[in-house]
Amino acid sequence: MEKLRVISVKISEEVYKEMLLRVPEGERSTFIRDAIIEKLQKIPRPDKILELEQRLEKMEREFSDIKKYLADWELLTYEKGKTNPHIFCTDETDQKIIDYLLHYKGATTPELAEYLKTNRWLILNRLRRIEKTSKKQLGKSIIEYYAGEKSGKKKAWWINEELIET
């Protein structure tokens, strides 16, 4: 026989009274045990979820590689007005960053940090994630970092205008 563990459960007075009415006194432990087992069977096991996540990530990587190869062979073209840059945003901060870049065409991380009233490391991490995600999905990045001077700014991030919707 399996080793049994004792647990303590807090339930509302209403649920307790209902259980007293419906379940005979000697069978309550078995009833609660069976209810827990039944509920656990409905929840997928974490190892299955992990396996599905890994398979999905693998498929995304392969799909990304296919897009990249098509772009390299110029079978997948990038036309002006093709991509909405906001699809790479995960929250309001990302959207504000993209809006600023769209309006000013480029910005340094300190400029964006001052505009958003946050630290520049958060901005830098967001910009890098947007760059990586867009490159993974499109084969080409929607924003680019340029260390040299361009339009009076040094070490700035620039929106790739050939990829964005107008």
Side-chain angles (χ1 to χ4, degrees), residues 125-159:
N125 289 335
R126 297 296 184 100
L127 287 164
R128 286 178 175 162
R129 187 185 41 70
I130 292 169
E131 178 185 40
K132 181 181 173 184
T133 306
S134 63
K135 185 167 186 151
K136 185 177 178 182
Q137 289 183 16
L138 299 174
K140 214 173 190 186
S141 182
I142 201 114
I143 58 173
E144 296 169 339
Y145 177 75
Y146 181 66
E149 187 169 342
K150 180 176 173 182
S151 300
K153 295 180 193 252
K154 288 183 181 177
K155 298 182 179 179
W157 289 86
W158 301 92
I159 197 90

Side-chain angles (χ1 to χ4, degrees), residues 94-128:
D94 288 353
Q95 290 179 2
K96 287 180 180 178
I97 290 170
I98 292 295
D99 289 341
Y100 191 93
L101 290 173
L102 286 170
H103 186 266
Y104 293 103
K105 307 295 182 216
T108 62
T109 49
E111 287 174 341
L112 287 165
E114 185 179 325
Y115 171 71
L116 294 169
K117 311 259 187 277
T118 187
N119 71 47
R120 66 186 187 93
W121 292 106
L122 173 85
I123 301 298
L124 180 62
N125 289 335
R126 297 296 184 100
L127 287 164
R128 286 178 175 162

Side-chain angles (χ1 to χ4, degrees), residues 39 41 68 74 82 123 163:
K39 185 72 173 180
Q41 288 175 345
K68 184 179 173 214
E74 296 179 357
K82 186 171 183 175
I123 301 298
L163 296 177

Side-chain angles (χ1 to χ4, degrees), residues 48-97:
K48 282 290 183 190
I49 293 173
L50 179 64
E51 180 184 325
L52 289 172
E53 284 177 349
Q54 289 172 342
R55 286 179 61 195
L56 184 60
E57 285 176 11
K58 181 182 175 195
M59 287 173 56
E60 286 176 345
R61 278 194 307 273
E62 289 172 354
F63 185 68
S64 167
D65 289 343
I66 291 169
K67 275 187 159 180
K68 184 179 173 214
Y69 296 140
L70 290 174
D72 289 345
W73 294 335
E74 296 179 357
L75 295 173
L76 180 64
T77 59
Y78 298 100
E79 301 164 13
K80 188 170 180 130
K82 186 171 183 175
T83 305
N84 177 0
H86 289 95
I87 63 172
F88 303 106
C89 299
T90 56
D91 61 7
E92 191 177 323
T93 303
D94 288 353
Q95 290 179 2
K96 287 180 180 178
I97 290 170

